[in-house]
Amino acid sequence: MLLTITTTHRPASDLGFLLHKNPGRVHDMPLAFGRAVLFYPEVSETSATFVLALDVDPVALVRGKGQGKSSGGLLDQYVNDRPYAASSFLSVAIAKTLRNALGGSSKERPDLAMLAIPLEARILPLPVRGSEGLVEKLFKPLGYDITIEPIPLDDKWPEWGPSPYVAMTLRATCRLRDLLAHLYVLIPVLDKQKHYFVERSELEKLLDKGEGWLAQHPSKELIANRYLRFKKSWTKEVLERLGEDGPVVTEDDVVEVAAPAEAAGDEPIVEMKKDAAEEALEKPIRLHELRLDTVAAVLKDKGARRVVDLGCGSGKLLKRLLSEKQFTEVLGVDVSSISLEMAERRLKFDRMSERQLKRIRIVQGALTYRDRRIEGYDGAALVEVIEHLEPDRLAALERVLFEAAKPGVVVITTPNSEYNAKFEGMKPGQMRHADHRFEWTRAEFEAWAKPVAERCGYTVAFSGIGEEDAALGAPSQMAVFEKTA
Ligand code: SAH
């Protein structure tokens, strides 16, 4: 997908200073979900054109994910319009690659950055999902001249229905920063489809990028509603805050900190919560409940106050942690947006008091990429998570968790494969869940955990969860790591 920006403001080559990108070069910038190539097909005294070509890699988005369930099945993860349609990915790419321009700063041409200049932006292909006239409704009030060219899906198959894709050209005399902010907010608004988990910091981003224009926009409710994916209480909050006098409170930090997560997983991947089959196997012994209670008790017992649940799934442990006053701050992290949405529902975010909202946060992220948001916690839990990682990704998890995040206590649980022999109907070598990449014996778990602890400055102790079999051990196993220095 392409975003093209042209100016005829002289000298037009100054566009390079405004965008902080040298017109003499091609800028190839890697993004977690693909790459952006930035270049200038024409630069002269009278006219300059800049192109951001975004190449979304659909395979990277689902890489390493198993055959778990998602609304459309695994195929849907590959066969969709993400690779070529300008969507929320383009907004992320604008924020990442044109950060200074979006913030309105220019080292060499600070005055020009504050100046309204003739600009033309063209986006192609742009998905528009909504009622007739949506583009005009959104961009006209902001002063743009608009040209829309439909892109047919395929004339030969009219039964495919009308195409949601258009090429859109906007023209206005405005500041570059305003043009970029309008695009940043309104591209995902046009495309109603959900591309990643919308966490609360999106609300701050909307207020931040909407500063100076959203409050006056006649369709601000529609914009907030679609941008926040129809979370009513958030839309209400945005409208209230837009209505307040004085400057909108912005939290640039939130945007900053969110970067690794965007990198890590912009895309709902595949849900890998404990599935029905695994629960059915383990149910007679209520193993999962016991496991969660045990982990919460260990964190409490070790005196942790600020805790993070890594691979929190649908939030069962988060719920337990929230019910304990000792835990002053609880963070849930998961790569799957479907799971995070389930967690939001389970915890009833929309009905939570201000005080509770301050204690809990859930964010999308992958545990194999360094993430500043998980650093500095007293305690971390990974309940039935490690066995979902490819064995060759464990080293990345070790670095992220034990070398970068370094919580005081880390509690990890994983199935004890020896015990599988006792589950009725399980064949030898079979695993409890289709997405498990491995299941370890007690000796294997220790052989992994002990060297990690030693290398990273932790002690580690092992125990079983569930009724112990004399020969095979307990159905689940737990390692508790404690930082020594
Ligand atoms: N801890 C939860 C969920 C366990 S299922 C519980 O006990 O109920 C495993 C969870 O790990 C899933 O929600 C899955 O999305 C998540 N997960 C798997 N790989 C991940 C990764 N690389 N980064 C973050 N989360 C991951």
Side-chain angles (χ1 to χ4, degrees):
M1 65 198 82
L2 294 179
L3 163 66
T4 306
I5 298 176
T6 301
T7 186
T8 49
H9 180 81
R10 295 185 190 197
S13 53
D14 276 359
L15 186 60
F17 292 126
L18 286 184
L19 291 165
H20 289 247
K21 294 284 172 289
N22 180 348
R25 283 182 39 211
V26 172
H27 308 259
D28 193 338
M29 306 180 74
L31 299 163
F33 50 83
R35 63 195 257 264
V37 181
L38 286 59
F39 61 99
Y40 297 78
E42 61 131 351
V43 183
S44 72
E45 165 74 15
T46 51
S47 173
T49 297
F50 162 83
V51 172
L52 188 167
L54 181 59
D55 190 7
V56 172
D57 177 355
V59 176
L61 289 172
V62 289
R63 192 170 40 209
K65 300 299 147 204
Q67 312 279 334
K69 278 187 254 126
S70 75
S71 46
L74 190 62
L75 189 61
D76 185 49
Q77 302 295 323
Y78 289 95
V79 184
N80 53 49
D81 69 3
R82 276 176 230 137
Y84 52 85
S87 60
S88 42
F89 289 121
L90 185 57
S91 292
V92 176
I94 290 174
K96 290 230 145 142
T97 64
L98 303 176
R99 193 184 155 77
N100 292 320
L102 183 59
S105 70
S106 165
K107 211 157 52 186
E108 283 88 358
R109 299 286 185 277
D111 297 345
L112 187 59
M114 303 319 279
L115 200 66
I117 59 174
L119 289 168
E120 181 180 298
R122 184 173 158 85
I123 300 180
L124 156 116
L126 175 72
V128 178
R129 296 181 167 97
S131 54
E132 192 65 32
L134 181 61
V135 173
E136 288 79 5
K137 203 170 172 176
L138 296 178
F139 286 99
K140 263 261 148 58
L142 298 168
Y144 291 97
D145 260 353
I146 308 162
T147 310
I148 301 284
E149 300 150 65
I151 306 175
L153 267 182
D154 197 317
D155 298 339
K156 279 189 248 131
W157 283 284
E159 64 273 23
W160 284 13
S163 144
Y165 306 109
V166 302
M168 174 178 82
T169 309
L170 303 172
R171 277 171 228 93
T173 297
C174 65
R175 297 184 303 181
L176 178 64
R177 67 176 296 180
D178 295 330
L179 170 66
L180 292 174
H182 297 153
L183 293 176
Y184 176 92
V185 170
L186 297 178
I187 290 168
V189 167
L190 284 168
D191 178 15
K192 206 167 54 177
Q193 292 206 342
K194 192 165 167 47
H195 286 272
Y196 56 91
F197 175 66
V198 177
E199 61 174 88
R200 218 189 121 79
S201 62
E202 294 287 329
L203 184 155
E204 303 298 341
K205 287 186 200 174
L206 175 61
L207 288 168
D208 180 20
K209 302 295 185 291
E211 197 181 346
W213 62 273
L214 188 54
Q216 299 83 40
H217 200 294
S219 299
K220 62 186 172 199
E221 183 166 352
L222 175 133
I223 294 171
N225 210 6
R226 281 184 156 229
Y227 188 91
L228 298 169
R229 304 300 168 205
F230 308 98
K231 295 197 181 177
K232 282 207 192 95
S233 58
W234 291 2
T235 299
K236 191 164 156 264
E237 182 176 340
V238 164
L239 295 176
E240 277 166 15
R241 285 171 64 180
L242 284 174
E244 284 166 9
D245 289 330
V248 173
V249 187
T250 62
E251 283 184 28
D252 259 342
D253 285 353
V254 176
V255 178
E256 283 255 288
V257 182
E262 285 173 356
D266 272 292
E267 198 45 30
I269 309 203
V270 176
E271 197 199 352
M272 286 177 293
K273 71 178 176 63
K274 294 200 121 333
D275 74 357
E278 190 179 9
E279 290 210 340
L281 273 178
E282 297 180 345
K283 192 160 192 160
I285 46 178
R286 292 184 60 79
L287 182 57
H288 198 44
E289 303 298 310
L290 181 63
R291 193 151 39 202
L292 296 166
D293 292 340
T294 309
V295 172
V298 171
L299 287 171
K300 189 174 173 203
D301 182 52
K302 298 291 176 195
R305 296 172 63 77
R306 301 177 64 241
V307 289
V308 55
D309 182 10
L310 301 171
C312 63
S314 63
K316 288 182 179 164
L317 181 64
L318 294 176
K319 194 165 177 190
R320 283 168 168 78
L321 296 173
L322 261 189
S323 69
E324 272 299 339
K325 277 208 217 63
Q326 176 177 319
F327 302 119
T328 53
E329 209 180 310
V330 178
L331 173 67
V333 181
D334 204 286
V335 76
S336 152
S337 63
I338 299 167
S339 297
L340 292 173
E341 269 158 22
M342 288 168 68
E344 270 189 341
R345 279 197 296 275
R346 183 188 302 280
L347 299 169
K348 302 196 172 60
F349 259 72
D350 50 351
R351 271 179 269 156
M352 227 180 244
S353 67
E354 279 289 312
R355 201 166 48 87
Q356 287 291 68
L357 275 174
K358 285 207 176 91
R359 281 177 70 210
I360 174 102
R361 201 157 92 93
I362 53 181
V363 301
Q364 190 168 23
L367 304 176
T368 43
Y369 295 89
R370 179 162 184 188
D371 187 342
R372 294 211 153 72
R373 296 169 307 174
I374 65 168
E375 291 173 15
Y377 281 83
D378 303 328
L382 290 90
V383 179
E384 309 296 287
V385 173
I386 58 170
E387 65 275 10
H388 289 268
L389 301 182
E390 291 294 343
D392 66 0
R393 299 299 287 153
L394 280 176
L397 170 78
E398 291 161 26
R399 280 197 298 278
V400 168
L401 179 60
F402 291 101
E403 293 176 32
K406 278 198 151 302
V409 186
V410 179
V411 187
I412 299 185
T413 77
T414 193
N416 166 19
S417 65
E418 294 162 79
Y419 196 91
N420 289 354
K422 291 199 50 134
F423 285 124
E424 239 166 77
M426 264 186 91
K427 299 186 193 75
Q430 191 188 340
M431 291 192 245
R432 296 185 199 177
H433 185 300
D435 190 63
H436 285 179
R437 306 308 158 97
F438 57 85
E439 284 175 0
W440 279 335
T441 62
R442 285 165 293 173
E444 284 168 331
F445 189 27
E446 292 188 18
W448 170 73
K450 280 180 177 163
V452 172
E454 181 138 341
R455 196 179 72 238
C456 304
Y458 283 79
T459 59
V460 59
F462 301 90
S463 51
I465 301 175
E467 201 176 329
E468 197 101 14
D469 177 274
L472 305 172
S476 196
Q477 45 183 343
M478 173 171 76
V480 179
F481 297 77
E482 286 185 78
K483 197 159 68 179
T484 47

